[in-house]
Amino acid sequence: MRKDRDKYFRRELRRPTDGASPAERTGERQPRERLFAQLKDGLLEKYEQLSSKYETLVKKYESSSIEDIGVYRLGWWALRTSASALALVRGSNIVLTNHRWQELETGENSDRGWEPLATDEPQRRWTSLHHLALETAAALLARPEVDSSVTRYRRSSGEQVVEVRSERIPTAREMVALLVHDVTAQARADTELRIAREALNRRHRLEAIGELASGVAHDLNNALNVMRLRLDLLGRELADAGQGEHLKALARIVDDAGARVARVHDLSRRQSDEALEPVQLQAVIAEALALVRTELEQHALVEGRHIRLVSSIPELPPVRANAAELKHLFVNLLLNARDAMPLGGAISIEAERQDDFAVVTVADEGTGIAAEHLERVFDAFFTTKKNGTGLGLSMARGAISRLGGSILARNRPGLGAEFVLRFPLAMHDEPPAPAPAPGPPPALAGSLRVLLVDDDRDCLEVTQAVLQAEGLTVATAPGGADALRRLGEQSYDLLLCDVGMPEMSGWQVAQEARVHWPAMPIFMVTGWGAELASASSRPIRVDGVLGKPLDVGELRSAIRSASERVPR
């Protein structure tokens, strides 16, 4: 093309001028050659500019075509390989589907049809996924204010469950895209969790009656303990006054009442009680998190609030507990944390070892607990929820107390609430030494220093009087913290500690005492009947457990056992 253009300019320059002399023609040719040379240069520059633009447009078109082809191929591949069924509905026709959609339509269960999973929706049946899709798209198009919807359906017979998500195409108002995802496993997990929660609620209701009866039995045993020991002291004073028969009759009445209270306590005990065994907290908490995670994801989808689970559970020594009971306990705490966060947030569960205890903290980023409710959240039947039973936290405290641990509720400034759980680590059981025969304490008993711990003032006073009547030196403490302080100030030859005390249980006092004063004999005193009679049911190793009402003969046996271990 360039050669033809140059030939044209040279031919024009050689063309003679009509009627002009050779000299004139030579004079005219020179300025005209310069003019044509300038014109040639300008045309060449424009031509090169146009050629460059043309080449740029060609390359851009080629690149755009390659990209469009790649996007098309990638989209088609996604349609063919997606695990979800995809369909495009235009008007009253399905214009595009993928392979998974065809599998659901023509599979071996295609003749079973579909029905809504939610029980609150009108019960009806669609004979095929095709009809379900068309009706779902029509329902969405009939509501201009709604751009998308999510509904779950199940096979009319069988357990397969799918989630149908429909969405209006923004650029074409009469087109709807549908995505059908198989959520059978998630629906099964939701059902298992719901059944577990219903069973747990039923169990809570039954146990609440047992807890109340057990609490009444505990208080009656405390009262009978005071009566029995007062009768013993009165018998010492009136031994020579001819009132022995009357006192013996009263003692028998107290013993009969104690036996009846014990039967009430046995009836109140959980029918599902199992022997405690070493349990790994890490595994139990992992199972609880797996159960709760499905529930949280469903709520996030329906309610639009995002809740994260954050866990940090190192490997710890085992605790002595019942694995199923602990799992339900943590599930209940995690779901309570979810309910406390109406705007979403993070639920964290952490664990660490503190001396011979495993400490687990469950915290949320919710609204916290009202100050006036902090002391009541563990009361049976107390709840701030509209549909709550008020039994979950009460049962949690009862279960942890039986394990020798404790649970505390508190608020984090500006960060929600947290529950702190303490579990005594499992100790290697040692066979208990045979109890010596009842009898008068040895002469050395007079030099025994005894620390008596009980939060019931009447029990504390009368037990102290009986021990002093046996010739012992007795110091008293009305609670666990005061007992540990006294142990740190002075050494003692025997620790008699009540089990059921607020803030710090007797088992926690015994655990601390065993760590710092391992040689000191420890006997627990409880009004919970024979629940801790066997060594295998005790959270930690102690020298013995004395039940209320206290038998003076058993008390003397404990004194004898302690006196034999005092260096002479």
Side-chain angles (χ1 to χ4, degrees):
M1 182 181 295
R2 181 171 296 179
K3 290 181 179 179
D4 295 338
R5 185 192 58 209
D6 292 343
K7 184 185 296 183
Y8 168 78
F9 282 117
R10 285 194 296 269
R11 186 173 62 249
E12 290 296 322
L13 290 173
R14 290 195 301 268
R15 181 178 298 173
T17 304
D18 296 339
S21 64
E24 291 175 345
R25 286 198 298 270
T26 302
E28 292 177 358
R29 185 181 299 150
Q30 292 178 352
R32 190 166 57 179
E33 287 179 352
R34 288 195 298 272
L35 177 63
F36 278 110
Q38 293 175 358
L39 179 62
K40 173 184 175 182
D41 292 340
L43 291 174
L44 281 174
E45 183 178 357
K46 290 182 179 180
Y47 175 80
E48 290 174 354
Q49 290 176 354
L50 290 173
S51 297
S52 177
K53 290 180 179 180
Y54 174 76
E55 291 176 0
T56 301
L57 288 173
V58 169
K59 290 179 179 180
K60 185 175 180 180
Y61 174 77
E62 291 177 350
S63 176
S64 176
S65 298
I66 293 173
E67 182 178 349
D68 289 343
I69 293 172
V71 170
Y72 170 79
R73 288 180 177 176
L74 183 62
W76 181 245
W77 174 82
L79 283 173
R80 292 176 60 85
T81 61
S82 174
S84 300
L86 303 172
L88 185 65
V89 178
R90 178 188 293 124
S92 59
N93 297 308
I94 297 179
V95 297
L96 180 65
T97 62
N98 69 340
H99 180 67
R100 178 58 177 155
W101 184 281
Q102 298 301 324
E103 287 182 350
L104 291 176
E105 274 281 76
T106 61
E108 59 180 6
N109 297 325
S110 60
D111 59 335
R112 296 182 179 178
W114 301 92
E115 57 187 29
L117 180 64
T119 57
D120 56 346
E121 293 187 12
Q123 290 302 306
R124 54 171 303 182
R125 181 176 177 272
W126 289 268
T127 57
S128 67
L129 191 61
H130 182 91
H131 293 92
L132 174 60
L134 291 179
E135 187 164 327
T136 301
L140 182 64
L141 293 173
R143 302 175 62 189
E145 73 281 2
V146 179
D147 291 327
S148 63
S149 66
V150 178
T151 312
R152 287 188 174 185
Y153 301 90
R154 64 183 173 192
R155 290 285 189 187
S156 298
S157 59
E159 64 173 3
Q160 186 178 24
V161 178
V162 297
E163 183 176 83
V164 178
R165 178 183 293 272
S166 58
E167 186 168 338
R168 192 192 307 270
I169 302 298
T171 56
R173 303 301 292 178
E174 295 302 318
M175 293 183 66
V176 175
L178 291 102
L179 183 146
V180 180
H181 185 59
D182 193 319
V183 292
T184 304
Q186 182 179 345
R188 187 185 301 114
D190 292 343
T191 301
E192 292 175 357
L193 180 61
R194 187 186 72 255
I195 293 174
R197 292 191 66 185
E198 291 175 353
L200 185 62
N201 287 336
R202 288 195 298 270
R203 180 181 178 182
H204 282 173
R205 293 187 184 95
L206 293 175
E207 287 186 352
I209 299 174
E211 290 286 344
L212 292 175
S214 183
V216 171
H218 177 272
D219 294 341
L220 287 175
N221 277 332
N222 278 337
L224 292 173
N225 182 61
V226 174
M227 294 173 64
R228 173 181 277 178
L229 295 183
R230 289 291 181 190
L231 286 172
D232 181 79
L233 292 174
L234 189 60
R236 296 170 191 255
E237 296 176 1
L238 302 177
D240 300 327
Q243 304 295 328
E245 292 300 323
H246 296 295
L247 294 178
K248 289 180 181 179
L250 289 174
R252 284 196 300 270
I253 293 173
V254 171
D255 291 341
D256 290 342
R260 298 188 183 197
V261 171
R263 286 197 292 272
V264 172
H265 180 79
D266 289 338
L267 289 174
S268 71
R269 293 181 64 187
R270 296 170 299 156
Q271 299 300 317
S272 59
D273 277 349
E274 299 178 1
L276 302 182
E277 58 184 3
V279 173
Q280 294 291 342
L281 278 176
Q282 191 178 40
V284 170
I285 293 175
E287 291 180 9
L289 289 172
L291 281 174
V292 171
R293 185 170 282 108
T294 302
E295 176 81 0
L296 296 184
E297 291 174 352
Q298 179 64 18
H299 273 264
L301 181 65
V302 175
E303 301 176 5
R305 55 171 174 161
H306 181 61
I307 298 176
R308 295 181 294 110
L309 287 177
V310 181
S311 63
S312 175
I313 313 296
E315 187 173 352
L316 298 172
V319 300
R320 185 171 295 280
N322 179 282
E325 185 175 51
L326 276 192
K327 180 174 68 175
H328 289 305
L329 185 152
F330 285 116
V331 167
N332 189 63
L333 288 177
L334 291 169
L335 293 180
N336 283 348
R338 176 207 65 189
D339 295 338
M341 298 192 301
L343 301 180
I347 302 174
S348 63
I349 179 167
E350 302 175 349
E352 63 176 348
R353 178 174 180 173
Q354 295 181 4
D355 297 327
D356 286 342
F357 286 86
V359 180
V360 182
T361 303
V362 181
D364 62 64
E365 296 180 346
T367 56
I369 303 173
E372 63 272 18
H373 295 159
L374 276 174
E375 297 299 326
R376 301 187 59 196
V377 292
F378 297 106
D379 293 347
F381 304 108
F382 175 79
T383 180
T384 57
K385 301 179 183 178
K386 292 182 179 180
N387 300 319
T389 62
L391 296 174
L393 291 178
S394 174
M395 296 298 102
R397 183 177 63 175
I400 296 177
S401 297
R402 282 189 291 271
L403 302 177
S406 63
I407 180 171
L408 170 69
R410 63 191 181 192
N411 286 319
R412 300 184 297 163
L415 294 175
E418 66 179 3
F419 290 83
V420 182
L421 299 82
R422 290 173 60 89
F423 300 93
L425 299 177
M427 307 289 288
H428 296 291
D429 292 330
E430 297 181 5
L444 186 63
S447 62
L448 285 180
R449 296 181 301 275
V450 180
L451 178 60
L452 176 64
V453 187
D454 201 317
D455 65 311
D456 188 291
R457 186 180 63 181
D458 292 331
C459 285
L460 190 67
E461 291 178 354
V462 69
T463 308
Q464 180 185 22
V466 170
L467 292 173
Q468 288 174 340
E470 296 290 337
L472 282 70
T473 302
V474 184
T476 62
D482 192 41
L484 293 178
R485 180 181 60 80
R486 287 182 176 275
L487 285 171
E489 295 173 349
Q490 182 180 347
S491 61
Y492 292 92
D493 303 311
L494 174 62
L495 174 62
L496 288 174
C497 186
D498 186 40
V499 171
M501 297 187 296
E503 297 182 1
M504 180 178 287
S505 73
W507 290 118
Q508 290 178 262
V509 176
Q511 183 87 349
E512 294 288 342
R514 183 62 75 202
V515 171
H516 300 289
W517 300 277
M520 180 178 60
I522 301 176
F523 283 82
M524 307 303 292
V525 182
T526 177
W528 300 110
E531 190 168 332
L532 301 172
S534 64
S536 61
S537 63
R538 302 170 189 171
I540 65 171
R541 182 179 59 82
V542 294
D543 296 89
V545 176
L546 305 177
K548 294 179 181 179
L550 278 172
D551 182 88
V552 177
E554 293 180 356
L555 186 58
R556 286 174 177 169
S557 296
I559 297 170
R560 180 185 294 276
S561 175
S563 64
E564 291 175 351
R565 293 168 57 178
V566 175
R568 297 177 183 273

